[in-house]
Amino acid sequence: MILALSGGVGGAKLVQGLAAHVPADILAIVVNTGDDIDHLGLHISPDVDTVMYTLAGLASVDRGWGLDGETWSAMDMFGRYGAETWFNLGDKDLATNILRTEALRQGHPLSVVTDELRRRLGVAVRILPMTDDPVTTYIDTPIGKLHFQEYFVRERCAPEVLGIEFRGLAAAHPSPPLQTALAEADAIIVTPSNPIVSVGPILGVPGVRDALRQSRAHRIAVTPLIEGQAVKGPTVPMMRWAGLAPNAVSVARLYSDFLDTFILDERDAALRPDIEALGLRVHVTDTLMTTAEDKARLAREILDLL
Ligand code: FO1
C-alpha cells in the first residue's frame, strides 16, 4: 500500500502521475486540511478538492484549482448582494461544498464525507483528510492575522510572513483512515507540496511524525524547490519565516528524521553530498512536472525506486 502526503497543486500533479501507474486500491492520499475555510456558510476543503477533482479528471489544469468548464453565475449574484467575492466559488464547485457542509452539519466526520464524495465522483483512490478535528492555518502579517485563504487568495501572498499558526493542530488526532494507512503503508511518498503550510500540518498532527519514524515503509520525498525556487506558491517566504534557507537541503533536513530517500532536481545536483550527509539516499532527476508525461515519468521513477 502506498501513502502519499499531498497539499495543493504541486502534490496533485505527482498524485496524478502515481494514479496512472498504481492500482487504485493500493494508493491512498493524505491531504492537508489546514487550508480549510468556513466561508459564506460553507465548509470548503481546498486541498481535498484539488486532489479529488484531479483524480476524477475534472480539475481545471490552467487555473490550478477548482473544476474545468466552470461557470460563475452564483458569484455574480453574490456580487449583486455585495457579499464577499475575493474567494471564487464556481457553480459546480458549490455542489461539492454544499453537500460537504450539509453532511458535516449532520455530524459525519470529514474523512467519511470525503470518502463518500470521492466515491460518487468515481475516484477509486482513497483520499484521507489528515484529521477530522478542526485545524486552521493563520498567517501573521503587518496587516493583521489572516486566514490562510485571505493571505493566499485575497492578498496574493504579498504581505510579509511574520508568523504562522496552525490553530487546533496540537489537539488534533489523525483521522481513522490515516491511522490505518500509516500502519499498513509499504511506501510513503511526500509530494512536492509546501513543506511548511501543506506538508507541515500533516506531519504536525500528533502521532503522525512518530508513526512515520517507526514505519517499515520505504519513505521518499520529492523536492518542492528547484534552484531555490518553488514551482508555485509561497514556499520561499514561509521557509524564510521558519529560519530556513530556501533550498533542497533545508527541506531534506526538515524531513530527515523519518525519511529514507530524497529526490533532488538535477539542476541542484551539487547539493547531493549535503543531503547524503543527513543520512539520506539521494536520487537525482528532472522533478519539474509540466506535462502529463512529466508527471508519469517522475511517478514511474519513484515506483522503480520503491
Ligand atoms: N485560489 C485562488 O487563487 N483564487 C480563488 O478564488 C480560489 C478559490 C477557491 C475556491 C475553492 C477551492 O477549493 C479552492 C480555491 N482556490 C482559489 C485555491 C486554494 O486557495 C488553494 O488550492 C489552496 O488553498 C492552496 O493549497
Side-chain angles (χ1 to χ4, degrees):
M1 198 276 269
I2 296 174
L3 176 65
L5 281 62
S6 180
V9 180
K13 287 181 177 177
L14 182 57
V15 164
Q16 192 174 14
L18 290 169
H21 287 81
V22 168
D25 61 345
I26 66 163
L27 182 58
I29 319 297
V30 52
V31 294
N32 164 45
T33 58
D35 289 7
D36 287 18
I37 182 167
D38 291 314
H39 186 67
L40 295 175
L42 297 173
H43 182 99
I44 297 149
S45 300
D47 286 352
V48 167
D49 291 351
T50 295
V51 169
M52 183 169 72
Y53 293 156
T54 298
L55 290 172
L58 300 174
S60 162
V61 178
D62 62 312
R63 211 178 318 119
W65 54 271
L67 291 150
D68 208 7
E70 188 58 282
T71 53
W72 310 93
S73 306
M75 287 307 294
D76 294 342
M77 198 64 184
F78 281 126
R80 288 177 65 174
Y81 282 110
E84 289 185 285
T85 56
W86 58 270
F87 195 70
N88 294 287
L89 288 165
D91 298 324
K92 294 195 282 188
D93 198 22
L94 279 172
T96 307
N97 288 297
I98 289 168
L99 290 176
R100 174 189 291 122
T101 303
E102 176 53 18
L104 291 171
R105 194 192 58 76
Q106 290 173 3
H108 301 293
L110 181 61
S111 53
V112 171
V113 175
T114 300
D115 198 59
E116 198 53 37
L117 289 171
R118 62 102 182 162
R119 287 175 188 277
R120 293 183 186 207
L121 281 188
V123 174
V125 172
R126 279 166 289 160
I127 301 172
L128 318 177
M130 66 188 195
T131 179
D132 289 330
D133 301 313
V135 174
T136 307
T137 303
Y138 289 91
I139 313 292
D140 277 328
T141 76
I143 62 170
K145 180 169 281 220
L146 306 178
H147 182 286
F148 178 77
Q149 298 300 340
E150 291 174 321
Y151 166 79
F152 184 78
V153 177
R154 198 186 66 202
E155 305 301 331
R156 302 188 188 292
C157 303
E160 184 190 356
V161 176
L162 302 176
I164 302 179
E165 178 197 2
F166 301 112
R167 193 171 299 172
L169 189 55
H173 303 82
S175 62
L178 173 56
Q179 291 174 32
T180 305
L182 285 167
E184 290 178 357
D186 304 298
I188 295 171
I189 300 170
V190 183
T191 68
S193 291
N194 185 314
I196 308 296
V197 289
S198 297
V199 176
I202 300 173
L203 300 178
V205 175
V208 169
R209 203 165 193 127
D210 288 341
L212 291 175
R213 284 193 192 118
Q214 291 151 23
S215 168
R216 56 178 168 71
H218 186 158
R219 299 148 296 185
I220 290 187
V222 178
T223 182
L225 295 177
I226 298 174
E227 292 182 312
Q229 297 294 320
V231 179
K232 188 168 192 258
T235 297
V236 171
M238 296 195 163
M239 288 189 70
R240 289 199 192 290
W241 165 76
L244 299 168
N247 59 45
V249 181
S250 297
V251 179
R253 187 175 298 114
L254 265 183
Y255 299 155
S256 59
D257 60 315
F258 65 82
L259 209 55
D260 298 306
T261 304
F262 189 81
I263 298 187
L264 180 65
D265 189 84
E266 57 198 11
R267 302 160 186 81
D268 290 323
L271 298 176
R272 181 185 198 128
D274 297 330
I275 297 172
E276 287 174 335
L278 297 169
L280 302 177
R281 265 177 275 163
V282 179
H283 175 77
V284 178
T285 189
D286 179 0
T287 64
L288 192 58
M289 293 179 280
T290 309
T291 66
E293 291 70 33
D294 295 342
K295 300 168 191 173
R297 175 186 46 72
L298 183 57
R300 209 167 32 245
E301 282 190 42
I302 291 171
L303 295 170
D304 290 346
L305 282 172
L306 292 173

